[in-house]
């Protein structure tokens, strides 16, 4: 399942793969569950290849629904399975009020209520070049909140800042369940 949320620009889409470029600005004007520069949610093995988000995501006074998700990602808001590859976020993300998971590439990677054990869970060769602002502990340069143990991630880079601190390996993932 791939829910595409685009602002200005175009996505070339087939049933499994999304490629393209998004430019613009997303601001809080309605109650929503999650937001991504490319897609709100990626599940059931959706594939995101060669995407660039240049849109700024700005939610300083959010009315996002804190009880049902509110994950914000430069590319994808939330994800249960699938692949993000060779993609870049260049937009700044500001969700400084009541956001649960904020990430430069992906807001939240979580376990769904259905079995995804046979599905791919991969993020490779992605870059976040934007600044990310969100709650301390659930905000990261690449992933805001990682709630799965079987993620394969490599070749990802982080520029910009995370809550005012230069992006680095230490703040690439805001909350990492693998460390618990």
């Amino acid at each position: 399942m791939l829910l595409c949320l685009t602002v200005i620009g175009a996505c070339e889409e087939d049933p499994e793969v999304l490629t393209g470029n998004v430019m613009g600005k997303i601001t809080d004007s309605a109650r929503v569950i999650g937001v991504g520069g490319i897609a709100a949610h990626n599940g059931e093995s959706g594939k995101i290849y060669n995407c660039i988000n240049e849109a700024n995501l700005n939610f300083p006074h959010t009315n996002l629904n804190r009880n049902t998700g509110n994950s914000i990602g430069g590319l994808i808001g939330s994800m249960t399975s699938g692949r993000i590859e060779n993609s870049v976020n260049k937009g700044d993300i500001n969700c400084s009020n009541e956001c649960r998971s904020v990430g430069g590439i992906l807001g939240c990677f979580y376990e769904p209520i259905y079995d995804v054990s046979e599905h791919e869970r991969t993020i490779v060769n992605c870059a976040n070049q934007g600044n990310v602002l969100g709650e301390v502990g659930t905000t990261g340069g690449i992933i805001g909140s990682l709630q799965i143990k079987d993620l394969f991630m490599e070749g990802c880079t982080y520029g910009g800042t995370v809550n005012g601190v230069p992006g680095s390996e230490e703040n690439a993932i805001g909350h990492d369940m693998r460390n618990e």
Side-chain angles (χ1 to χ4, degrees), residues 36 68-69 74 135 140 144 159:
T68 57
E135 289 184 12

Side-chain angles (χ1 to χ4, degrees), residues 75-164:
L75 298 179
I76 310 297
S78 64
M79 187 166 168
T80 55
S81 64
R83 182 179 189 93
I84 304 173
E85 184 174 348
N86 298 328
S87 296
V88 178
N89 174 54
K90 294 182 178 183
D92 291 337
I93 304 167
N94 176 7
C95 195
S96 55
N97 184 21
E98 296 186 10
C99 288
R100 182 174 292 164
S101 305
V102 183
I105 299 296
L106 173 63
C108 182
F109 212 139
Y110 69 95
E111 285 292 346
I113 57 173
Y114 52 91
D115 182 22
V116 293
S117 60
E118 300 298 318
H119 295 204
E120 181 176 30
R121 292 171 152 189
T122 303
I123 301 174
V124 294
N125 301 325
C126 291
N128 174 44
Q129 298 172 0
N131 298 310
V132 183
L133 180 62
E135 289 184 12
V136 174
T138 58
T139 299
I142 301 296
I143 301 172
S145 182
L146 181 61
Q147 300 174 10
I148 63 168
K149 294 190 182 244
D150 59 342
L151 171 68
F152 177 76
M153 185 169 86
E154 75 175 10
C156 294
T157 60
Y158 8 82
T161 63
V162 177
N163 288 334

Side-chain angles (χ1 to χ4, degrees), residues 30-97:
R31 184 174 275 277
V32 296
I33 294 173
V35 175
I38 302 296
H41 178 76
N42 183 25
E44 298 182 26
S45 295
K47 294 172 178 61
I48 310 293
Y49 292 112
N50 305 316
C51 288
I52 300 171
N53 173 48
E54 295 180 352
N56 294 320
L57 284 66
N58 189 21
F59 294 86
H61 306 290
T62 186
N63 56 358
L64 293 172
N65 189 341
R66 186 169 179 81
N67 296 322
T68 57
N70 77 15
S71 300
I72 311 296
L75 298 179
I76 310 297
S78 64
M79 187 166 168
T80 55
S81 64
R83 182 179 189 93
I84 304 173
E85 184 174 348
N86 298 328
S87 296
V88 178
N89 174 54
K90 294 182 178 183
D92 291 337
I93 304 167
N94 176 7
C95 195
S96 55
N97 184 21

